[in-house]
Amino acid sequence: MENAGASDLWLFIEPYGEDYWLKSGEVFAVAPEAAGSNVCFSIAVCQEGTVWLYEDGDPTKVVLEYTVTDADGKRLECGHQRPAGSGATKPG
């Protein structure tokens, strides 16, 4: 995912509702934890980018274990760069 816009982009990953915030020009990678998985992505673009990961493109096989990393390969945690007052909260 790359934020090619001028403002922050809210990346919202389902099914857990985890949020990550990309500054303009930033790139994040979303990948399954299991090596060799054939994963397809479903992305809805609105004020936030909502991402679902499906095994073999089958929407009944949601990938539950994934990682989000920055351009340097550093693993990011839910809430990364969340702006104060955004209204987003940690899931759970």
Side-chain angles (χ1 to χ4, degrees):
M1 301 283 304
E2 177 181 2
N3 182 359
S7 59
D8 290 356
L9 174 67
W10 177 14
L11 178 61
F12 192 75
I13 304 178
E14 293 290 5
Y16 301 123
E18 294 185 330
D19 65 312
Y20 302 82
W21 296 76
L22 288 79
K23 303 282 185 199
S24 180
E26 281 189 311
V27 176
F28 288 2
V30 180
E33 285 191 0
S37 293
N38 180 22
V39 174
C40 295
F41 296 87
S42 173
I43 301 172
V45 179
C46 43
Q47 285 184 328
E48 72 274 358
T50 302
V51 178
W52 285 87
L53 290 79
Y54 302 121
E55 185 177 337
D56 297 323
D58 183 344
T60 64
K61 297 180 180 177
V62 175
V63 174
L64 301 176
E65 302 298 325
Y66 57 85
T67 59
V68 178
T69 56
D70 66 13
D72 295 323
K74 178 183 170 197
R75 188 175 180 148
L76 304 175
E77 298 297 324
C78 174
H80 179 76
Q81 299 183 143
R82 182 186 300 138
S86 68
T89 59
K90 278 194 170 183

